[in-house]
Amino acid sequence: MRLRLVPETTNIDFFRFWKATFGISIVAMIVSLVLFLTMGLNFGIDFRGGTTIRTESTQAVNVGTYREAIAPLGLGDVSITEVFDPTFGADRHVAMIRIQAQEGEESVSPAVVNSVEVALQAVDPAISFTSVESVGPKVSGELIRTAVIAVIAAMGAILVYIWLRFEWQFAIGAVVALIHDVLLTIGIFSLLQIRFDLATIAALLTIVGYSINDTVVIFDRLRENLIKYKKMALRDVMNLSVNETLSRTLMTSGTTLLALIALLILGGDVIRGFVFAITWGVVVGTYSSVYVAKNVVLMLGTKRDWSKPDAGAGTQFGKADA
């Protein structure tokens, strides 16, 4: 007996309210952009600058105890991670403590670093401080530029791939869906003021990959059905294609969300922002594959020249394996 999330055959009209759903998506993108421009993002140490303190101790690192000791100092964004290395002996325990630059200062002052050291020595007398490194605003600015370039380059590469594999209408639909996913993720981070750091950029790139994978699966089925049902209206072919891939879409999204929700609840503060971004991205990415990418293709139309044997299959790369 096989588990089915949806019936074997479905006939849901996903495009019954396609103008309303596409309009909602456009409004959501605009709202996200306004939130970003007005509220901004809660940048982490990677983008704001700050100081990293490396500690060593003969006692095991207790991240919770370290955080409780530093919390009364009111230093804002403090990241504490234990460093694992196979070359470390049994009595060598290393941690990295990252403190954001304080308001009006380019880096953490020596007085603040000293207060952190005193607080940690109170809970672990055996602790020593092996290095203190600062990240200034110039380096942080370069990280922001590099992160933006990485996201734009990923979308550009996907645009070219979809254009070659299908047609330009499909490429535009896919990229609009990706922009939708990235903007909505940035918007929710701005609204909730969740810490935005390099891990979040990694999550954005993961979202882009997940979303385009789901979109390409449906596009592949759409292309097959465009050839199979030559006289069927484009909207009906799209509806059929989404219904035929619905079980796969829900199964993939559902199993991914199960793992992500477990990490979101039990994973701890260090990875919570990263996991939240991917969880949100899976939801909006699944939505955009159906209600954004396909709507753009529906509005632009697609080539259906049946005078050639491979008409409607896309460009000369249309039958290439993914």
Side-chain angles (χ1 to χ4, degrees):
M1 183 176 181
R2 293 186 300 171
L3 173 65
R4 289 190 178 276
L5 297 181
V6 295
E8 186 172 356
T9 303
T10 60
N11 189 28
I12 303 171
D13 188 358
F14 289 98
F15 297 92
R16 182 179 180 183
F17 304 107
W18 71 271
K19 292 182 180 179
T21 55
F22 191 69
I24 291 171
S25 297
I26 295 296
V27 171
M29 292 168 67
I30 294 173
V31 170
S32 297
L33 186 60
V34 171
L35 286 172
F36 170 69
L37 295 176
T38 55
M39 298 181 64
L41 292 169
N42 179 21
F43 287 116
I45 296 170
D46 298 324
F47 298 134
R48 293 184 60 176
T51 296
T52 300
I53 303 173
R54 182 184 175 94
T55 70
E56 288 192 19
S57 177
T58 56
Q59 299 182 23
V61 174
N62 189 320
V63 174
T65 302
Y66 283 16
R67 192 179 298 280
E68 290 176 3
I70 297 174
L73 301 177
L75 300 178
D77 182 16
V78 177
S79 173
I80 305 173
T81 55
E82 185 173 0
V83 179
F84 296 96
D85 194 305
T87 62
F88 290 168
D91 60 345
R92 187 183 180 191
H93 304 279
V94 179
M96 301 293 287
I97 301 170
R98 304 165 73 189
I99 308 168
Q100 71 177 32
Q102 303 303 295
E103 199 68 35
E105 299 180 9
E106 292 190 356
S107 61
V108 177
S109 67
V112 172
V113 173
N114 183 66
S115 64
V116 171
E117 293 178 354
V118 171
L120 292 176
Q121 286 172 337
V123 297
D124 184 2
I127 198 170
S128 61
F129 305 93
T130 57
S131 68
V132 178
E133 299 177 352
S134 295
V135 178
K138 182 178 179 180
V139 175
S140 300
E142 291 176 354
L143 287 175
I144 293 175
R145 287 193 294 274
T146 304
V148 172
I149 291 172
V151 175
I152 293 175
M155 289 188 180
I158 288 170
L159 174 66
V160 174
Y161 166 74
I162 299 297
W163 197 326
L164 293 176
R165 181 163 174 74
F166 299 97
E167 292 181 355
W168 66 267
Q169 296 96 329
F170 290 79
I172 292 176
V175 170
V176 170
L178 295 182
I179 294 173
H180 168 274
D181 299 342
V182 171
L183 272 181
L184 262 61
T185 302
I186 291 175
I188 197 70
F189 267 71
S190 181
L191 177 65
L192 301 179
Q193 287 296 291
I194 302 172
R195 187 175 64 215
F196 192 93
D197 51 22
L198 284 178
T200 311
I201 295 298
L204 286 177
L205 293 173
T206 304
I207 292 168
V208 167
Y210 179 91
S211 179
I212 197 61
N213 177 69
D214 195 33
T215 301
V216 166
V217 168
I218 303 177
F219 276 173
D220 267 328
R221 182 57 60 88
L222 173 60
R223 184 180 58 188
E224 293 172 2
N225 286 335
L226 282 172
I227 299 173
K228 186 177 181 181
Y229 303 101
K230 298 180 180 181
K231 296 183 179 181
M232 185 181 292
L234 178 59
R235 168 177 162 167
D236 295 335
V237 178
M238 285 186 169
N239 226 6
L240 175 65
S241 302
V242 176
N243 275 282
E244 289 180 346
T245 56
L246 183 61
S247 178
R248 179 265 175 200
T249 298
L250 292 181
M251 185 65 74
T252 303
S253 300
T255 52
T256 304
L257 286 173
L258 284 176
L260 289 172
I261 292 172
L263 285 173
L264 194 62
I265 297 172
L266 305 173
D269 181 67
V270 175
I271 64 170
R272 184 157 291 135
F274 172 80
V275 176
F276 175 81
I278 297 182
T279 304
W280 173 260
V282 168
V283 175
V284 298
T286 302
Y287 172 88
S288 68
S289 294
V290 176
Y291 290 107
V292 178
K294 307 305 173 295
N295 284 345
V296 171
V297 177
L298 182 62
M299 288 186 292
L300 294 176
T302 184
K303 182 179 178 181
R304 300 183 71 168
D305 181 8
W306 308 114
S307 62
K308 299 178 181 179
D310 62 344
T315 67
Q316 67 270 35
F317 299 95
K319 294 183 179 180
D321 293 331

